[in-house]
Structures are given as C-alpha cells and as structure tokens.
Amino acid sequence: MSDRGMGSLVAGVDLGGTKVLASIVDAENRILGRAKASTPATQGGAAILAAVAGVVREAAVEANVELSDLKGIVVGSPGPLDPDHGVILFSANMNVRDFALGPDLSRLLGPPVLLRNDVRVGGYGEFRLGAGKGKSNVLAAFVGTGIGGCLIVDGKVIAGSTGNAGEIGHIMIKPGGPRCGCGRRGCLEALASRSAIAKRIGKAHKAGRSTVLASKVDSKNDKLKSKELAAAYLSGDAVAVSEVHRAAHYLGLGLGSLINVLGPELVIIGGGVTEALGVGYLDAIRASAWNQVLTNPGNKIQIVPAALGDDAGILGAALMAREAFC
Ligand SMILES: [Zn+2]
C-alpha cells in the first residue's frame, strides 16, 4: 500500500433503506474511495450483508488499498440496534430482525466492525466536519421519511442509558394528533416528516383542493419524493406551500422546546427534505423556533442547514471507526 494513510485507514458505511454507501477514509478525514449500491431492502439479511460487503470492497478497490489495511469499519444503520453485539434488532424498512450484521460482516471482510445508529453517525459527521465544526454543544435534526436527532454535549454524542437517546421525532407535539409510525399519536415525526406532509397533501386533494402533487399523493403517500415536494413548493403550489409551512411550524416548536431544555450552541437541520426545500422552509422553522425560545442572549444560538449532504453518514462512521479502532 501507499504511505498516504499507513496503518490508519478505516471504512465508514451508511446503510439506509434505499441505498448503501461506503468510503475508505484516511487519518486526515479524506475520502480515498467510495461506492454506492441499492439496498436490497426486501430480500432479508443475507442480501443486505452481501450488498454492504460489496460496497466496502468496491470502495477499497477505488482507494487502491487491501481490506487487510483497514483498522476497522463502522456501519451507520437504522435501528433499533444492539450496538454491543452488532445486531440490528428490527428494521421494518429492511425486512430484518435480530440480524447480526456486525459479526457477519467482520467474518466476511476481516476488519472489526461496529454498528451505530445512522442518525447519530450522520450527526457526528456534521458536528466534526460539517456545519458544526469548531462547536462543542450541538443538536442535529434530520428530516426525511421520518425525523431523527443527534445530541452532542461537550463534544460527545449522547446515547443515554438506553443507547437510544436523541429520538426527537417522537416528542409529543400535539395530543390526539395524527398516528405516528411508532404507534402513538401526535409525535413530531407524524406532524413534520415528509410522510406527514404527503398525507396532509393527500387529504387536501381528497377534499377537493387543487395541487400539482395530486397524482403523487393519490394512492401511496410514501411515494412522494423530496424533490417533487420541493418543485411544487418552490412553484408556489398553494397546498404544498401551506403544508410545508405547517410542518415547519411544528418542527420549530419541537426544536425551540429542545433549545430551551438543552441550550445548544448550534442547531443543525439536515436530511433530504431540508436540502430540497431550501431557505424558505428553514426560515419558517426558525420563525417558529425563536417564537418558542425563552432566551437567546446576543443571538448566540444559531439554526443552520447541514453542510455535508450524503457524506455526513460515511464521514461520521469513519470518525467513529477511527476513535474505536485506531
Ligand atoms: Zn412516534
């Protein structure tokens, strides 16, 4: 191997319900090789294991390194997880249960493997290398199909006594509100995620209101893509604009409440919905959040967009791998 990262190379993997990304990263956090594949989300554990192993191998080839050069691998994965044993306890999106991805991947590829919650991994990437660079106390929120959070206090990701702290998507915002994926009602995720917005647009359409998204929300709500929602929102589609701002209002209430509790220096908002909708959406979140915040002396606390896009997950995973194995 070359001398550019001798003894200090790691792999970061971002495993999602639709795609899996891998990168080989050196000690200066440079991505030397990367690869991407579709997640075989309906085919069970063996197919997912093969897909993850495949992208790591491909990224290693691109980086021109051997798998045996890697000190370790961290996989950011949807959960819930048993992080101590590298097991995905359950994932509805990936059709697995009690799936020992960590040990299986390590056996297949050689280097040690750790599994970490995907949102915490992405939040850590943004904190260290993206929008949170230079800060110590950060709250990151990611808005997509669902809503996830990552809390960093004094430079450390807070996992809590359960290992699952940071689930901001299931803060209760509206008693008796819409049903959430978790089975409860009125969670932030059920009011402000892309799925929540799609459901509301579907209802408006059924009630006879005109929207360019009619065909997208007709049958399967979860078919609505962030880009399609953004196109309708930015073109001024009245239903899209009102539903996006309604969702932003609820997200702002949640984030404003969290700012009151936690007093972070910075709130980072990322995820597919945020990237696609842009500044109008962010301003609506900010307006609602600041209205909820009791005090922000000297405007010290800021609410900013994420900076790394898709790289947040692979870089955050690589950072965690370096800390664990190097
Ligand atoms: Zn919930």
PDB file of all heavy atoms in Angstrom, residues 201-232:
ATOM      1  N   ILE A 201     -51.199  16.501   2.219  1.00  0.00           N
ATOM      2  CA  ILE A 201     -51.480  16.941   0.848  1.00  0.00           C
ATOM      3  C   ILE A 201     -52.515  16.001   0.220  1.00  0.00           C
ATOM      4  O   ILE A 201     -53.423  16.441  -0.487  1.00  0.00           O
ATOM      5  CB  ILE A 201     -50.174  17.011   0.007  1.00  0.00           C
ATOM      6  CG1 ILE A 201     -49.268  18.108   0.575  1.00  0.00           C
ATOM      7  CG2 ILE A 201     -50.481  17.268  -1.466  1.00  0.00           C
ATOM      8  CD1 ILE A 201     -47.893  18.194  -0.072  1.00  0.00           C
ATOM      9  N   GLY A 202     -52.388  14.690   0.525  1.00  0.00           N
ATOM     10  CA  GLY A 202     -53.372  13.717   0.039  1.00  0.00           C
ATOM     11  C   GLY A 202     -54.775  14.043   0.541  1.00  0.00           C
ATOM     12  O   GLY A 202     -55.752  13.973  -0.213  1.00  0.00           O
ATOM     13  N   LYS A 203     -54.855  14.423   1.790  1.00  0.00           N
ATOM     14  CA  LYS A 203     -56.162  14.781   2.379  1.00  0.00           C
ATOM     15  C   LYS A 203     -56.744  16.023   1.712  1.00  0.00           C
ATOM     16  O   LYS A 203     -57.948  16.077   1.421  1.00  0.00           O
ATOM     17  CB  LYS A 203     -56.003  15.066   3.885  1.00  0.00           C
ATOM     18  CG  LYS A 203     -56.210  13.853   4.753  1.00  0.00           C
ATOM     19  CD  LYS A 203     -56.323  14.292   6.225  1.00  0.00           C
ATOM     20  CE  LYS A 203     -56.447  13.086   7.137  1.00  0.00           C
ATOM     21  NZ  LYS A 203     -56.235  13.457   8.543  1.00  0.00           N
ATOM     22  N   ALA A 204     -55.896  17.015   1.493  1.00  0.00           N
ATOM     23  CA  ALA A 204     -56.348  18.260   0.858  1.00  0.00           C
ATOM     24  C   ALA A 204     -56.874  17.970  -0.543  1.00  0.00           C
ATOM     25  O   ALA A 204     -57.914  18.498  -0.964  1.00  0.00           O
ATOM     26  CB  ALA A 204     -55.194  19.265   0.802  1.00  0.00           C
ATOM     27  N   HIS A 205     -56.158  17.100  -1.245  1.00  0.00           N
ATOM     28  CA  HIS A 205     -56.570  16.715  -2.596  1.00  0.00           C
ATOM     29  C   HIS A 205     -57.931  16.028  -2.561  1.00  0.00           C
ATOM     30  O   HIS A 205     -58.822  16.338  -3.363  1.00  0.00           O
ATOM     31  CB  HIS A 205     -55.507  15.812  -3.206  1.00  0.00           C
ATOM     32  CG  HIS A 205     -55.930  15.118  -4.458  1.00  0.00           C
ATOM     33  ND1 HIS A 205     -56.393  15.809  -5.567  1.00  0.00           N
ATOM     34  CD2 HIS A 205     -55.975  13.802  -4.795  1.00  0.00           C
ATOM     35  CE1 HIS A 205     -56.707  14.934  -6.519  1.00  0.00           C
ATOM     36  NE2 HIS A 205     -56.463  13.723  -6.074  1.00  0.00           N
ATOM     37  N   LYS A 206     -58.097  15.117  -1.607  1.00  0.00           N
ATOM     38  CA  LYS A 206     -59.377  14.406  -1.464  1.00  0.00           C
ATOM     39  C   LYS A 206     -60.515  15.364  -1.133  1.00  0.00           C
ATOM     40  O   LYS A 206     -61.660  15.167  -1.533  1.00  0.00           O
ATOM     41  CB  LYS A 206     -59.268  13.348  -0.362  1.00  0.00           C
ATOM     42  CG  LYS A 206     -58.986  11.971  -0.907  1.00  0.00           C
ATOM     43  CD  LYS A 206     -59.146  10.901   0.185  1.00  0.00           C
ATOM     44  CE  LYS A 206     -58.545   9.602  -0.297  1.00  0.00           C
ATOM     45  NZ  LYS A 206     -58.086   8.789   0.843  1.00  0.00           N
ATOM     46  N   ALA A 207     -60.176  16.404  -0.403  1.00  0.00           N
ATOM     47  CA  ALA A 207     -61.192  17.390  -0.012  1.00  0.00           C
ATOM     48  C   ALA A 207     -61.496  18.363  -1.152  1.00  0.00           C
ATOM     49  O   ALA A 207     -62.266  19.303  -0.970  1.00  0.00           O
ATOM     50  CB  ALA A 207     -60.712  18.160   1.214  1.00  0.00           C
ATOM     51  N   GLY A 208     -60.836  18.137  -2.310  1.00  0.00           N
ATOM     52  CA  GLY A 208     -61.181  18.922  -3.492  1.00  0.00           C
ATOM     53  C   GLY A 208     -60.272  20.096  -3.791  1.00  0.00           C
ATOM     54  O   GLY A 208     -60.504  20.850  -4.724  1.00  0.00           O
ATOM     55  N   ARG A 209     -59.190  20.229  -3.000  1.00  0.00           N
ATOM     56  CA  ARG A 209     -58.268  21.335  -3.296  1.00  0.00           C
ATOM     57  C   ARG A 209     -57.310  20.946  -4.412  1.00  0.00           C
ATOM     58  O   ARG A 209     -56.874  19.804  -4.510  1.00  0.00           O
ATOM     59  CB  ARG A 209     -57.487  21.726  -2.037  1.00  0.00           C
ATOM     60  CG  ARG A 209     -58.386  22.324  -0.960  1.00  0.00           C
ATOM     61  CD  ARG A 209     -57.579  22.881   0.177  1.00  0.00           C
ATOM     62  NE  ARG A 209     -56.738  24.005  -0.257  1.00  0.00           N
ATOM     63  CZ  ARG A 209     -55.739  24.495   0.472  1.00  0.00           C
ATOM     64  NH1 ARG A 209     -55.445  23.970   1.644  1.00  0.00           N
ATOM     65  NH2 ARG A 209     -55.020  25.514   0.033  1.00  0.00           N
ATOM     66  N   SER A 210     -57.002  21.900  -5.264  1.00  0.00           N
ATOM     67  CA  SER A 210     -56.171  21.618  -6.428  1.00  0.00           C
ATOM     68  C   SER A 210     -54.689  21.693  -6.055  1.00  0.00           C
ATOM     69  O   SER A 210     -54.250  22.628  -5.381  1.00  0.00           O
ATOM     70  CB  SER A 210     -56.521  22.632  -7.524  1.00  0.00           C
ATOM     71  OG  SER A 210     -55.420  22.833  -8.356  1.00  0.00           O
ATOM     72  N   THR A 211     -53.925  20.677  -6.479  1.00  0.00           N
ATOM     73  CA  THR A 211     -52.476  20.671  -6.257  1.00  0.00           C
ATOM     74  C   THR A 211     -51.774  19.919  -7.382  1.00  0.00           C
ATOM     75  O   THR A 211     -52.302  18.916  -7.873  1.00  0.00           O
ATOM     76  CB  THR A 211     -52.098  20.026  -4.895  1.00  0.00           C
ATOM     77  OG1 THR A 211     -50.684  19.817  -4.857  1.00  0.00           O
ATOM     78  CG2 THR A 211     -52.798  18.705  -4.665  1.00  0.00           C
ATOM     79  N   VAL A 212     -50.577  20.379  -7.768  1.00  0.00           N
ATOM     80  CA  VAL A 212     -49.817  19.688  -8.818  1.00  0.00           C
ATOM     81  C   VAL A 212     -49.324  18.328  -8.324  1.00  0.00           C
ATOM     82  O   VAL A 212     -48.871  17.502  -9.117  1.00  0.00           O
ATOM     83  CB  VAL A 212     -48.607  20.524  -9.299  1.00  0.00           C
ATOM     84  CG1 VAL A 212     -49.074  21.813  -9.950  1.00  0.00           C
ATOM     85  CG2 VAL A 212     -47.632  20.817  -8.163  1.00  0.00           C
ATOM     86  N   LEU A 213     -49.405  18.079  -7.041  1.00  0.00           N
ATOM     87  CA  LEU A 213     -48.917  16.807  -6.494  1.00  0.00           C
ATOM     88  C   LEU A 213     -50.013  15.737  -6.410  1.00  0.00           C
ATOM     89  O   LEU A 213     -49.763  14.643  -5.884  1.00  0.00           O
ATOM     90  CB  LEU A 213     -48.329  17.038  -5.093  1.00  0.00           C
ATOM     91  CG  LEU A 213     -47.067  17.905  -5.060  1.00  0.00           C
ATOM     92  CD1 LEU A 213     -46.680  18.234  -3.624  1.00  0.00           C
ATOM     93  CD2 LEU A 213     -45.911  17.198  -5.769  1.00  0.00           C
ATOM     94  N   ALA A 214     -51.209  16.041  -6.953  1.00  0.00           N
ATOM     95  CA  ALA A 214     -52.353  15.119  -6.826  1.00  0.00           C
ATOM     96  C   ALA A 214     -51.984  13.670  -7.142  1.00  0.00           C
ATOM     97  O   ALA A 214     -52.277  12.761  -6.358  1.00  0.00           O
ATOM     98  CB  ALA A 214     -53.494  15.593  -7.718  1.00  0.00           C
ATOM     99  N   SER A 215     -51.286  13.453  -8.269  1.00  0.00           N
ATOM    100  CA  SER A 215     -51.000  12.075  -8.679  1.00  0.00           C
ATOM    101  C   SER A 215     -49.975  11.422  -7.748  1.00  0.00           C
ATOM    102  O   SER A 215     -49.915  10.196  -7.621  1.00  0.00           O
ATOM    103  CB  SER A 215     -50.489  12.055 -10.122  1.00  0.00           C
ATOM    104  OG  SER A 215     -49.261  12.733 -10.178  1.00  0.00           O
ATOM    105  N   LYS A 216     -49.154  12.232  -7.087  1.00  0.00           N
ATOM    106  CA  LYS A 216     -48.094  11.687  -6.224  1.00  0.00           C
ATOM    107  C   LYS A 216     -48.629  11.254  -4.859  1.00  0.00           C
ATOM    108  O   LYS A 216     -47.984  10.489  -4.147  1.00  0.00           O
ATOM    109  CB  LYS A 216     -47.001  12.734  -5.986  1.00  0.00           C
ATOM    110  CG  LYS A 216     -46.445  13.351  -7.231  1.00  0.00           C
ATOM    111  CD  LYS A 216     -45.544  12.385  -7.950  1.00  0.00           C
ATOM    112  CE  LYS A 216     -44.993  13.006  -9.224  1.00  0.00           C
ATOM    113  NZ  LYS A 216     -44.372  12.013 -10.099  1.00  0.00           N
ATOM    114  N   VAL A 217     -49.741  11.831  -4.460  1.00  0.00           N
ATOM    115  CA  VAL A 217     -50.248  11.522  -3.117  1.00  0.00           C
ATOM    116  C   VAL A 217     -51.565  10.757  -3.176  1.00  0.00           C
ATOM    117  O   VAL A 217     -52.229  10.555  -2.164  1.00  0.00           O
ATOM    118  CB  VAL A 217     -50.453  12.821  -2.292  1.00  0.00           C
ATOM    119  CG1 VAL A 217     -49.117  13.464  -1.988  1.00  0.00           C
ATOM    120  CG2 VAL A 217     -51.357  13.801  -3.005  1.00  0.00           C
ATOM    121  N   ASP A 218     -51.916  10.342  -4.396  1.00  0.00           N
ATOM    122  CA  ASP A 218     -53.210   9.702  -4.630  1.00  0.00           C
ATOM    123  C   ASP A 218     -53.342   8.372  -3.896  1.00  0.00           C
ATOM    124  O   ASP A 218     -54.224   8.178  -3.088  1.00  0.00           O
ATOM    125  CB  ASP A 218     -53.398   9.477  -6.129  1.00  0.00           C
ATOM    126  CG  ASP A 218     -54.752   9.992  -6.576  1.00  0.00           C
ATOM    127  OD1 ASP A 218     -55.443  10.572  -5.721  1.00  0.00           O
ATOM    128  OD2 ASP A 218     -55.096   9.818  -7.750  1.00  0.00           O
ATOM    129  N   SER A 219     -52.423   7.460  -4.192  1.00  0.00           N
ATOM    130  CA  SER A 219     -52.554   6.121  -3.628  1.00  0.00           C
ATOM    131  C   SER A 219     -51.577   5.884  -2.487  1.00  0.00           C
ATOM    132  O   SER A 219     -51.966   5.709  -1.341  1.00  0.00           O
ATOM    133  CB  SER A 219     -52.321   5.085  -4.731  1.00  0.00           C
ATOM    134  OG  SER A 219     -51.162   5.419  -5.466  1.00  0.00           O
ATOM    135  N   LYS A 220     -50.280   5.945  -2.821  1.00  0.00           N
ATOM    136  CA  LYS A 220     -49.266   5.645  -1.812  1.00  0.00           C
ATOM    137  C   LYS A 220     -48.589   6.923  -1.355  1.00  0.00           C
ATOM    138  O   LYS A 220     -47.772   7.500  -2.046  1.00  0.00           O
ATOM    139  CB  LYS A 220     -48.233   4.660  -2.377  1.00  0.00           C
ATOM    140  CG  LYS A 220     -48.745   3.240  -2.508  1.00  0.00           C
ATOM    141  CD  LYS A 220     -47.644   2.278  -2.089  1.00  0.00           C
ATOM    142  CE  LYS A 220     -48.211   0.918  -1.729  1.00  0.00           C
ATOM    143  NZ  LYS A 220     -47.180  -0.014  -1.308  1.00  0.00           N
ATOM    144  N   ASN A 221     -48.908   7.333  -0.137  1.00  0.00           N
ATOM    145  CA  ASN A 221     -48.363   8.575   0.382  1.00  0.00           C
ATOM    146  C   ASN A 221     -46.846   8.610   0.348  1.00  0.00           C
ATOM    147  O   ASN A 221     -46.240   9.621   0.064  1.00  0.00           O
ATOM    148  CB  ASN A 221     -48.824   8.783   1.821  1.00  0.00           C
ATOM    149  CG  ASN A 221     -50.262   9.228   1.871  1.00  0.00           C
ATOM    150  OD1 ASN A 221     -50.710   9.924   0.967  1.00  0.00           O
ATOM    151  ND2 ASN A 221     -50.969   8.815   2.892  1.00  0.00           N
ATOM    152  N   ASP A 222     -46.233   7.477   0.687  1.00  0.00           N
ATOM    153  CA  ASP A 222     -44.785   7.488   0.829  1.00  0.00           C
ATOM    154  C   ASP A 222     -44.054   7.499  -0.517  1.00  0.00           C
ATOM    155  O   ASP A 222     -42.852   7.399  -0.568  1.00  0.00           O
ATOM    156  CB  ASP A 222     -44.323   6.322   1.703  1.00  0.00           C
ATOM    157  CG  ASP A 222     -44.821   4.992   1.170  1.00  0.00           C
ATOM    158  OD1 ASP A 222     -45.422   4.966   0.087  1.00  0.00           O
ATOM    159  OD2 ASP A 222     -44.587   3.980   1.850  1.00  0.00           O
ATOM    160  N   LYS A 223     -44.790   7.629  -1.607  1.00  0.00           N
ATOM    161  CA  LYS A 223     -44.133   7.727  -2.911  1.00  0.00           C
ATOM    162  C   LYS A 223     -43.630   9.137  -3.192  1.00  0.00           C
ATOM    163  O   LYS A 223     -42.838   9.348  -4.098  1.00  0.00           O
ATOM    164  CB  LYS A 223     -45.111   7.322  -4.037  1.00  0.00           C
ATOM    165  CG  LYS A 223     -45.415   5.839  -4.089  1.00  0.00           C
ATOM    166  CD  LYS A 223     -44.238   5.060  -4.661  1.00  0.00           C
ATOM    167  CE  LYS A 223     -44.572   3.588  -4.764  1.00  0.00           C
ATOM    168  NZ  LYS A 223     -43.451   2.755  -4.318  1.00  0.00           N
ATOM    169  N   LEU A 224     -44.127  10.104  -2.459  1.00  0.00           N
ATOM    170  CA  LEU A 224     -43.741  11.490  -2.711  1.00  0.00           C
ATOM    171  C   LEU A 224     -42.264  11.696  -2.382  1.00  0.00           C
ATOM    172  O   LEU A 224     -41.819  11.446  -1.273  1.00  0.00           O
ATOM    173  CB  LEU A 224     -44.595  12.446  -1.861  1.00  0.00           C
ATOM    174  CG  LEU A 224     -44.285  13.934  -2.034  1.00  0.00           C
ATOM    175  CD1 LEU A 224     -44.590  14.412  -3.450  1.00  0.00           C
ATOM    176  CD2 LEU A 224     -45.057  14.767  -1.018  1.00  0.00           C
ATOM    177  N   LYS A 225     -41.504  12.178  -3.380  1.00  0.00           N
ATOM    178  CA  LYS A 225     -40.071  12.397  -3.161  1.00  0.00           C
ATOM    179  C   LYS A 225     -39.839  13.849  -2.731  1.00  0.00           C
ATOM    180  O   LYS A 225     -40.597  14.743  -3.092  1.00  0.00           O
ATOM    181  CB  LYS A 225     -39.302  12.125  -4.455  1.00  0.00           C
ATOM    182  CG  LYS A 225     -39.385  10.675  -4.910  1.00  0.00           C
ATOM    183  CD  LYS A 225     -38.393  10.424  -6.047  1.00  0.00           C
ATOM    184  CE  LYS A 225     -38.321   8.949  -6.383  1.00  0.00           C
ATOM    185  NZ  LYS A 225     -38.941   8.636  -7.681  1.00  0.00           N
ATOM    186  N   SER A 226     -38.741  14.044  -1.997  1.00  0.00           N
ATOM    187  CA  SER A 226     -38.412  15.397  -1.531  1.00  0.00           C
ATOM    188  C   SER A 226     -38.314  16.376  -2.702  1.00  0.00           C
ATOM    189  O   SER A 226     -38.766  17.513  -2.610  1.00  0.00           O
ATOM    190  CB  SER A 226     -37.095  15.395  -0.761  1.00  0.00           C
ATOM    191  OG  SER A 226     -37.225  14.641   0.420  1.00  0.00           O
ATOM    192  N   LYS A 227     -37.700  15.922  -3.801  1.00  0.00           N
ATOM    193  CA  LYS A 227     -37.519  16.803  -4.963  1.00  0.00           C
ATOM    194  C   LYS A 227     -38.853  17.224  -5.556  1.00  0.00           C
ATOM    195  O   LYS A 227     -39.023  18.365  -5.985  1.00  0.00           O
ATOM    196  CB  LYS A 227     -36.693  16.087  -6.050  1.00  0.00           C
ATOM    197  CG  LYS A 227     -35.214  16.244  -5.863  1.00  0.00           C
ATOM    198  CD  LYS A 227     -34.436  15.636  -7.025  1.00  0.00           C
ATOM    199  CE  LYS A 227     -32.944  15.646  -6.686  1.00  0.00           C
ATOM    200  NZ  LYS A 227     -32.202  14.639  -7.438  1.00  0.00           N
ATOM    201  N   GLU A 228     -39.818  16.280  -5.589  1.00  0.00           N
ATOM    202  CA  GLU A 228     -41.144  16.605  -6.138  1.00  0.00           C
ATOM    203  C   GLU A 228     -41.872  17.588  -5.225  1.00  0.00           C
ATOM    204  O   GLU A 228     -42.503  18.536  -5.686  1.00  0.00           O
ATOM    205  CB  GLU A 228     -41.964  15.316  -6.290  1.00  0.00           C
ATOM    206  CG  GLU A 228     -41.365  14.353  -7.290  1.00  0.00           C
ATOM    207  CD  GLU A 228     -41.928  12.924  -7.184  1.00  0.00           C
ATOM    208  OE1 GLU A 228     -42.529  12.583  -6.127  1.00  0.00           O
ATOM    209  OE2 GLU A 228     -41.739  12.167  -8.149  1.00  0.00           O
ATOM    210  N   LEU A 229     -41.770  17.340  -3.935  1.00  0.00           N
ATOM    211  CA  LEU A 229     -42.385  18.251  -2.974  1.00  0.00           C
ATOM    212  C   LEU A 229     -41.777  19.644  -3.113  1.00  0.00           C
ATOM    213  O   LEU A 229     -42.486  20.656  -3.136  1.00  0.00           O
ATOM    214  CB  LEU A 229     -42.182  17.721  -1.548  1.00  0.00           C
ATOM    215  CG  LEU A 229     -42.669  18.620  -0.412  1.00  0.00           C
ATOM    216  CD1 LEU A 229     -44.184  18.824  -0.504  1.00  0.00           C
ATOM    217  CD2 LEU A 229     -42.300  18.026   0.945  1.00  0.00           C
ATOM    218  N   ALA A 230     -40.435  19.670  -3.256  1.00  0.00           N
ATOM    219  CA  ALA A 230     -39.743  20.956  -3.360  1.00  0.00           C
ATOM    220  C   ALA A 230     -40.157  21.697  -4.630  1.00  0.00           C
ATOM    221  O   ALA A 230     -40.363  22.911  -4.608  1.00  0.00           O
ATOM    222  CB  ALA A 230     -38.239  20.740  -3.337  1.00  0.00           C
ATOM    223  N   ALA A 231     -40.288  20.972  -5.747  1.00  0.00           N
ATOM    224  CA  ALA A 231     -40.675  21.626  -7.003  1.00  0.00           C
ATOM    225  C   ALA A 231     -42.042  22.276  -6.856  1.00  0.00           C
ATOM    226  O   ALA A 231     -42.258  23.414  -7.291  1.00  0.00           O
ATOM    227  CB  ALA A 231     -40.669  20.604  -8.150  1.00  0.00           C
ATOM    228  N   ALA A 232     -42.989  21.571  -6.222  1.00  0.00           N
ATOM    229  CA  ALA A 232     -44.331  22.124  -6.026  1.00  0.00           C
ATOM    230  C   ALA A 232     -44.277  23.321  -5.075  1.00  0.00           C
ATOM    231  O   ALA A 232     -44.906  24.357  -5.317  1.00  0.00           O
ATOM    232  CB  ALA A 232     -45.259  21.048  -5.466  1.00  0.00           C
TER     233      ALA A 232
END
